[in-house]
Amino acid sequence: MKILILGSGGREHALAWKLDQSPKVEELFIAPGNAGTALLGTNLPVEVNDFETIKTTIIEKEIDMVVVGPEVPLVQGIRDFFIQDRVLQNIPVIGPSKEAAQLEGSKDFAKNFMNKYNIPTAASQTFTKETLTEGKAFLDKLNPPYVLKADGLAGGKGVVILSDLNEAKAELNHMLVEEKFGSASAKVVIEEFLQGIEISVFILTDGIHYKLLPEAKDYKRIGEGDTGLNTGGMGSISPVPFATGEFLEKVKSRIIEPTLEGLQKENMDYRGFLFFGLINVNGEPFVIEYNCRMGDPEAQSVIPRIKSDLMDLMEGVAAQDLDMRKMEIDERYATSVVLVSEGYPGKYEIGKPISGIGNLNNCVLFYAGAGNDIENNVVKTSGGRVLSITSFGMTLNEALKNTYINVEQIQYEGKYYRNDLGFDLK
Ligand code: AMP
Ligand code: GLY
């Protein structure tokens, strides 16, 4: 089969790396891809939300399946675009319909869905510009800290947590009236703060059956000890020690299965990855958010733990016979550290030559913001998150040790990474 992967990050490199190992995959295309995906297939200069150009590409390259990495094309309806197109309607898209992608695209939609199907989540209410006064009165009734969420996609920046009541009211005003996040904050969900430890749980579903993927924990803050600004992710580890069999059973019966039943009852077409952002409150799982895709940087530790053929599983998603496909998981720990550019997530410089890639050993390297300078035959930094390095180990410590040995081999001006992954789990 000829596969097109949409996206350009470490997650898409991990997907490409895994699909490339499948005997069923004849040719890989990645749009737009990065310097890492270029080593595995053909990068195409096509943007992920340019559906018309994607269509031309599919026809020209005779592509058999599309795997969507990021949320934006899904929330914009790429699956629906294919189904409604006479030429594309039989090309499977791994990713949900526009309506089902609202689980990520609208926090208000997700909250209503969870409440309707009794899926455990923080108590909340949604407000608009017209109900600003009621929103402030609602804040008066809550205990700090206050959690305010822009309804729509805001590139991971739409959640604001404040401990001061007046600041929370001002932020509500900022979001609703001054449109801090544009139309994404035309509605704001205010919710109860949940105290616990976060975990990312993933499934691959054909809409009827599902396979539980390895769970992971990501590290979002720039600073060690989970301090400083939020980033796109500084690393991930899988499995998560506190995700015992008992905890995962609760996740399945209270969250995953009711979610799939709800989607079916609502007649929403969901075929793809579904990501449950959870918080473990004293052993009880609650949903913080749904995402309609794999996580980044979780994919970089989750995908390498899948031993089975991912292409076979994706065929199962398209054919809705996922129950007939095999899913074997590597028992070992995988840890993935992200190397970033100095200054990230604020301002940073790019174009720094990267050396040491040839010295890596006993690990998998995934590229993100790294590009090939073909003229000078060198790889250069091209983004905030540059590379991620994943290694395995029989224990969390062993996996981390193997990862950090390799992290030290890479050199570029302004290299920064977190040295404390897993600090909260030991
Ligand atoms: P989200 O974009 O929904 O993942 O939220 C961003 C981050 O805000 C999450 O990863 C959590 O750390 C935090 N968060 C969101 N909702 C809550 C909540 N109800 N209670 C505590 N922390 C939360
Ligand atoms: N790592 C969190 C996300 O992909 O949204």
Side-chain angles (χ1 to χ4, degrees), residues 70-244:
E71 63 278 14
V72 171
L74 292 166
V75 172
Q76 289 180 356
I78 189 163
R79 179 180 185 84
D80 310 64
F81 177 83
F82 272 60
I83 290 170
Q84 286 154 17
D85 188 284
R86 212 172 39 81
V87 183
L88 301 181
Q89 61 188 358
N90 294 320
I91 311 276
V93 173
I94 303 298
S97 65
K98 181 174 183 168
E99 197 186 12
Q102 291 297 302
L103 284 180
E104 175 165 4
S106 165
K107 303 259 188 215
D108 181 47
F109 176 95
K111 280 286 178 186
N112 289 332
F113 180 90
M114 286 186 269
N115 291 331
K116 184 165 177 186
Y117 293 100
N118 288 319
I119 295 163
T121 185
S124 73
Q125 276 191 37
T126 300
F127 300 94
T128 61
K129 203 189 287 186
E130 288 70 36
T131 55
L132 177 68
T133 316
E134 288 89 331
K136 289 184 178 168
F138 184 66
L139 283 170
D140 279 327
K141 285 191 281 179
L142 293 178
N143 294 320
Y146 306 95
V147 183
L148 280 72
K149 299 185 169 185
D151 176 55
L153 293 183
K157 297 195 170 64
V159 176
V160 181
I161 300 179
L162 295 162
S163 48
D164 182 86
L165 179 61
N166 287 328
E167 278 179 29
K169 288 182 179 174
E171 181 65 29
L172 184 64
N173 205 62
H174 204 30
M175 283 188 176
L176 289 175
V177 182
E178 290 157 44
E179 299 176 2
K180 178 177 178 186
F181 298 106
S183 59
S185 62
K187 284 186 194 170
V188 172
V189 174
I190 302 180
E191 72 178 28
E192 163 201 18
F193 181 83
L194 296 175
Q195 186 74 52
I197 183 158
E198 282 177 61
I199 175 168
S200 305
V201 172
F202 308 92
I203 61 166
L204 185 62
T205 179
D206 61 11
I208 302 166
H209 320 97
Y210 75 94
K211 298 283 191 210
L212 183 67
L213 271 54
E215 77 284 355
K217 188 164 194 311
D218 77 337
Y219 290 82
K220 291 195 177 79
R221 303 291 197 95
I222 188 73
E224 290 179 0
D226 283 343
T227 54
L229 293 175
N230 255 327
T231 69
M234 298 297 291
S236 64
I237 68 168
S238 176
V240 179
F242 68 76
T244 57

Side-chain angles (χ1 to χ4, degrees), residues 349-409:
E349 290 176 12
I350 59 168
K352 310 291 183 193
I354 301 171
S355 64
I357 291 176
N359 301 336
L360 299 180
N361 193 5
N362 193 18
C363 71
V364 194
L365 172 68
F366 296 121
Y367 290 64
N372 280 323
D373 177 350
I374 293 164
E375 223 165 90
N376 298 303
N377 194 25
V378 61
V379 180
K380 288 184 172 171
T381 66
S382 65
R385 292 196 296 162
V386 179
L387 301 169
S388 64
I389 294 180
T390 303
S391 297
F392 284 101
M394 292 311 292
T395 62
L396 178 57
N397 278 336
E398 187 186 301
L400 285 166
K401 191 170 149 229
N402 290 337
T403 302
Y404 283 117
I405 289 172
N406 283 296
V407 165
E408 279 156 29
Q409 302 303 313

